[in-house]
Structures are given as C-alpha cells and as structure tokens.
Amino acid sequence: MPIPDEVTGHEIDPDVRQELLSLPKTLAEDVARNLVMVARLIDEDPEQAYAYSRIALRLASRVAAVREAAGFAAYATQKYAEALAEFRASRRMTGSVELWPVMADCERGLGRPEKAMAMAGEPEVQKLDKAGQVEMRLVAAGARRDMGQIDAAIVTLQSPELASSAVHPWTPRLRYAYADALLAAGREDEAREWFGKALEADKDGATDASDRLAELDGVEFVDALVEDEDEHATEPPVEADTDSADAESVDADAGDATDEDGPSKA
C-alpha cells in the first residue's frame, strides 16, 4: 500500500522506535512508516489502518509494539478475536498489564461479559495505573449492562474518581457512562445532571454529552440545508405570462424561417 513521501517513520513514539532497533535499518524504517499510517488513520479510516497494520505485522511479528498496533487496528474494526490474540501476544512479550482493560473489552465484544467481569477481579487490575483502573471500571460496568444488571453497573461506576471534581483525560467518559447508566435505569433527572458534568469536563468533544442533554430537554436539531430545500419544494410554481410566451413563440417561428435557408450558426 502506498505511503505518502512525507511520512518518514520518525514520527512514531521514541519507545516504539527503540523496539525497532532490533531490526535491520531498512526494515525498521518500513515498519515504522506503516505504524505511522496506522496511528494516523485508526480514528478516521479504521479499515485502512487495519490494512497498514497487517503489513507491519507481516514484516515484524516479533516486535511487541507491532503486535499491539495490530491489536488496536483489529479492535477498531470490531475484529475482537483477532485483536485479543494480538494483545495477548504483546503481553507475553512485554509482561505488561497495560492492555488488560482492552483485552477484557474484547471479551465483551465476543459476547463473553462474564469473562470480562472475571478479568476485572484479577490481581492484574491492581498493577494498572489510575487511568487503567478507571478504564477497567468502565469495561466492568459495560459487562454488567451486557448481562442486564443495570443497577450493578451504576454501583460499579460509583467511585472516588467519579466523585472527584478534578478533571483528567478519562473524566468525561466516566461521567458520561454513569449518566447513560442512570438514564437506562429510568433516573432521568440524575442522568441530566451527570451528562451536564460530563459536558463540563469534555473540552475536546470526546463524548456527545451535549446532544444527549438536548434530547433530554426535547430540543430537535433541523438541518438548515434540508429545511431550505423543503421550503423551495413547497413554493407554488410561477405562472408563465401567456401574452409574453405567445409573442416569444411568434418571434421564434420568424427566426426559424429566416435561418432555414441561411448559413448554419456555430
């Protein structure tokens, strides 16, 4: 697959570049450039990102960072069994527990929420950093909802991190998940409050909390372009001026008679 000339491979994380030093220089550069494309496309075009990840995987399957990137690309395209296999391979190579939450979420994607819940109770969770533990809490709450245990999902999300007024990268998603669970339980007033709190923390637009709030308040958004087209479609047709039309017809007939034996016009 083509890669833009401006992509050199030097754009990747220094830790990943360090891992690639085990490869011959030219091969390392090829792998790095493909990994850059994965990172660039995984949000806007996950299928393309997945295709680049497969190339990197074919070139360097023994590099943990490559297996991890392949896992995230498969995850983004909902190939959960494949993603889980790649994450497990990366974990075996590094011994890191960092991927534990996303591995548990793959189990959810495969229709095994009970397995995800079991992983939430494993010792690996205690080795995660704060962001990882919050992510694991979100996955566990999702698994509870998968099993129809909405009240348990709400309790799972109730934590010091949720109650804290401090804002972290994971704060909007945690508050949003809590609001969504409350709404699913029929607790609309509380849900509105927490969607509002999610919106306050969401400076980057990571959630659609504003849309959810609008829905709860009964606000409907209308596409201005569609509305304009509808207005034009309902306007009555303009009636032609009969006298003018007849006059134009006479003139046209006269013109045709004049042109009939004359030279053709370009």
Side-chain angles (χ1 to χ4, degrees), residues 3-228:
I3 296 177
D5 292 338
E6 67 267 19
V7 175
T8 65
H10 293 283
E11 301 90 340
I12 61 173
D13 186 274
D15 291 340
V16 177
R17 174 161 286 282
Q18 186 68 30
E19 280 193 63
L20 296 179
L21 290 178
S22 62
L23 303 173
K25 183 178 180 181
T26 302
L27 179 59
E29 289 176 353
D30 288 343
V31 173
R33 294 181 73 211
N34 277 282
L35 292 180
V36 171
M37 295 306 294
V38 173
R40 283 189 176 185
L41 295 170
I42 197 163
D43 291 327
E44 62 186 57
D45 191 345
E47 290 292 345
Q48 278 285 86
Y50 175 76
Y52 281 108
S53 77
R54 300 307 295 177
I55 295 172
L57 190 59
R58 188 171 67 246
L59 295 174
S61 62
R62 296 185 179 182
V63 176
V66 172
R67 303 302 289 265
E68 181 177 331
F72 277 110
Y75 179 80
T77 53
Q78 300 183 7
K79 298 177 176 66
Y80 297 117
E82 190 175 319
L84 185 56
E86 297 301 340
F87 290 142
R88 283 173 174 167
S90 177
R91 182 167 180 266
R92 283 196 300 270
M93 293 175 180
T94 64
S96 172
V97 298
E98 183 180 347
L99 296 171
W100 196 254
V102 72
M103 289 168 63
D105 207 38
C106 285
E107 296 288 1
R108 285 186 61 212
L110 290 168
R112 302 192 293 244
E114 297 86 356
K115 177 64 176 175
M117 282 303 307
M119 291 179 69
E122 294 291 337
E124 282 82 354
V125 176
Q126 302 307 315
K127 300 175 185 177
L128 294 168
D129 60 13
K130 181 61 68 178
Q133 290 182 5
V134 170
E135 194 66 36
M136 193 70 239
R137 189 176 293 277
L138 287 167
V139 173
R144 290 290 190 191
R145 293 189 65 171
D146 293 342
M147 294 186 286
Q149 302 172 4
I150 187 62
D151 290 335
I154 291 171
V155 172
T156 299
L157 292 167
Q158 291 170 345
S159 60
E161 293 82 15
L162 180 68
S164 174
S165 59
V167 175
H168 301 277
W170 36 261
T171 301
R173 292 177 58 236
L174 180 60
R175 293 178 179 179
Y176 182 95
Y178 188 59
D180 194 47
L182 289 168
L183 187 60
R187 295 159 62 175
E188 188 173 305
D189 290 341
E190 293 172 87
R192 181 182 284 102
E193 177 188 352
W194 281 96
F195 277 129
K197 290 182 177 181
L199 182 60
E200 288 174 8
D202 192 1
K203 305 304 181 186
D204 299 323
T207 73
D208 64 347
S210 60
D211 292 342
R212 301 297 298 276
L213 274 172
E215 288 175 10
L216 286 171
D217 292 333
V219 176
E220 292 186 9
F221 296 99
V222 178
D223 190 315
L225 181 60
V226 173
E227 188 178 48
D228 187 54

